[in-house]
Amino acid sequence: MLQAWNTPHQLPPFDQVQAEHFEPAFDVLFAEHLAEIDQLAALNEPASFENTAAAFDRSGLRLERAQLLLDNLTSSETSPELQEVERRMASKQAEHRSRIYMHAGFFARLDAIHAQRDNLSLNEEQGRLLDLIHRDFVRAGAKLQGAARRRYAEVVSKLAELTTAFGQNVLADESEYTLQLAENDLAGLPPFLLDAARAAAEARQLPGWAITLSRSSIVPFLTFSQRRDLREQAWRAWTGRGEHPERDNRPLAKQILALRVEQAKLLGYASFADYAIANRMAGAPAAVHALMDQVWEPAKARFESEKAMLREEAAKLGEPADIQPWDWFYLAEKVRIARYALDDAEIKPYFGLENMIKAMFDVAGRLFGLSFSERHDL
């Protein structure tokens, strides 16, 4: 992680990366990044866009490379060893971010050029970059002083630790659960789902078929399975992620919410919603509520009309009239077929991975003039 990656497009050498490499590499890269910011803060020349905002944007690239590698692996090909690294590194990464974004010397220079931005003859991209960097510093507590500054760093560090634990609990529940199916459990399942379930069972060295809690497995199962008892089992497992006694996310959620309120108030916001939305399109919680108010009553009315259709379909199929959450996908699909001639099982093959990749590249070509060709040597 500290060497140049002499690979095509500098792709990570995944086969050489071990979990135990990350922490010592991060220790070096944290120090390297902080030294870069110290150097920028200590410049004798007057602050300018180039030696402040643009220079900051170029800093820490080796650290970012290592961070992206860890994020990639923990979200796609994780292991107990990597998860332990992720847990240990969460607070360290947050502490490093606080050291950077609360760097008084550098922020003084950044704040000075931001105040003069209208007189700097910046182009649109430069102005946007300066605004974004300055905003990130302010939202990370750069203007706080004394005890408030120290407490903000503590809150951010603890939040990183808690949110990492929260995500890992959900991931563990998803990866451990398997609904194993035998021949007499397959009624209603279309070929594409049977193929996926067979592959999932083989990957887990199980006989028969297996339904997992990944959305691409659980949603089709709830949509097509004629076995109401199995749909209920799967639905309860899906909605119960993070509730197991040994990995209960509810106390973590309470702590996260309390810390988010404190984080927002330290920065002068009335609530975490105000803080979170300040740099989003809506701008303020009131705008979100206004939109919700527009759609809430029509949505409830639509829900009731759809529920009536589901009840009619349930009666035709001899299904119980007390429609439960695990019945909704299944009955909705029956209504689609009966009333609109839309069969998800027939439509699904048109949205296979290869077709979706082609569609995505086509859109990127139309919007941005980019073209893509597959490489088989990477």
Side-chain angles (χ1 to χ4, degrees):
M1 269 169 275
L2 300 178
Q3 306 303 318
W5 293 344
N6 298 314
T7 55
H9 306 295
Q10 297 183 23
L11 288 172
F14 289 108
D15 58 329
Q16 299 177 42
V17 175
Q18 303 297 324
E20 62 268 21
H21 295 166
F22 280 99
E23 288 187 80
F26 272 115
D27 287 341
V28 172
L29 296 170
F30 287 154
E32 179 183 282
H33 188 204
L34 186 58
E36 288 181 273
I37 305 306
D38 286 339
Q39 188 175 7
L40 293 178
L43 287 174
N44 290 324
E45 58 196 78
S48 67
F49 171 83
E50 184 58 35
N51 68 21
T52 305
F56 178 82
D57 191 49
R58 292 190 295 267
S59 72
L61 294 181
R62 278 165 34 102
L63 173 60
E64 182 181 12
R65 185 182 73 164
Q67 178 63 64
L68 289 171
L69 176 56
L70 178 61
D71 291 346
N72 181 301
L73 290 173
T74 54
S75 62
S76 63
E77 186 69 15
T78 194
S79 66
E81 294 77 19
L82 275 171
Q83 288 182 312
E84 179 60 31
V85 170
E86 187 182 30
R87 282 192 294 271
R88 287 201 300 267
M89 293 307 303
S91 58
K92 289 184 178 182
Q93 288 166 334
E95 289 163 7
H96 174 72
R97 178 178 168 81
S98 290
R99 281 193 291 271
I100 297 299
Y101 282 88
M102 291 184 177
H103 196 295
F106 179 79
F107 181 68
R109 294 173 65 86
L110 178 67
D111 202 33
I113 64 165
H114 187 259
Q116 304 166 28
R117 61 191 181 281
D118 293 336
N119 302 318
L120 297 180
S121 301
L122 302 178
N123 63 34
E124 186 178 0
E125 290 180 356
Q126 291 171 327
R128 177 67 172 155
L129 179 63
L130 178 57
D131 281 342
L132 287 175
I133 293 174
H134 186 267
R135 184 201 68 193
D136 288 348
F137 269 79
V138 173
R139 287 172 64 83
K143 289 189 173 183
L144 297 176
Q145 301 296 326
R149 189 183 186 89
R150 291 190 294 275
R151 178 56 186 163
Y152 190 86
E154 291 170 3
V155 167
V156 170
S157 178
K158 186 63 177 176
L159 276 172
E161 181 184 320
L162 291 171
T163 53
T164 298
F166 187 102
Q168 287 193 352
N169 286 346
V170 173
L171 182 64
D173 285 354
E174 287 181 348
S175 61
E176 286 183 8
Y177 179 83
T178 302
L179 177 62
Q180 198 171 347
L181 304 177
E183 190 80 42
N184 60 347
D185 300 326
L186 306 179
L189 303 187
F192 80 85
L193 182 54
L194 291 173
D195 291 343
R198 172 76 79 180
E202 290 174 356
R204 289 160 176 76
Q205 298 182 327
L206 297 172
W209 298 261
I211 299 300
T212 71
L213 293 185
S214 70
R215 185 170 289 272
S216 61
S217 178
I218 193 77
V219 172
F221 182 76
L222 292 172
T223 301
F224 297 109
S225 175
Q226 295 175 10
R227 288 284 302 275
R228 193 178 194 235
D229 58 329
L230 296 180
R231 294 202 308 266
E232 180 179 358
Q233 283 184 46
W235 183 87
R236 291 192 182 281
W238 191 34
T239 57
R241 291 167 298 169
E243 292 183 3
H244 292 177
E246 68 275 17
R247 293 189 295 266
D248 192 346
N249 269 344
R250 287 166 292 190
L252 296 184
K254 289 180 181 179
Q255 294 178 67
I256 289 169
L257 290 172
L259 287 170
R260 283 178 171 179
V261 170
E262 185 178 359
Q263 177 188 21
K265 291 190 173 179
L266 281 167
L267 292 177
Y269 292 92
S271 69
F272 184 77
D274 289 276
Y275 166 78
I277 271 179
N279 64 340
R280 309 285 178 89
M281 187 187 299
V288 178
H289 287 297
L291 177 61
M292 289 297 293
D293 288 342
Q294 289 179 46
V295 301
W296 181 241
E297 292 303 327
K300 286 198 296 182
R302 185 63 184 161
F303 172 83
E304 290 302 327
S305 67
E306 288 184 359
K307 193 170 184 180
M309 286 191 283
L310 298 192
R311 282 185 175 140
E312 287 179 31
E313 198 63 32
K316 292 178 188 175
L317 297 170
E319 293 277 335
D322 62 325
I323 295 172
Q324 297 297 319
W326 47 88
D327 300 321
W328 196 276
F329 285 99
Y330 176 72
L331 292 174
E333 179 62 17
K334 299 301 183 186
V335 169
R336 266 196 297 273
I337 295 172
R339 298 195 180 214
Y340 308 109
L342 286 173
D343 185 343
D344 197 47
E346 290 185 13
I347 295 169
K348 181 76 74 174
Y350 292 98
F351 293 89
L353 177 61
E354 291 302 318
N355 287 347
M356 297 314 298
I357 291 173
K358 289 176 184 176
M360 180 177 66
F361 287 166
D362 178 63
V363 170
R366 295 192 208 182
L367 289 176
F368 308 119
L370 300 174
S371 62
F372 300 82
S373 58
E374 186 172 1
R375 290 279 297 268
H376 297 279
D377 57 332
L378 304 180

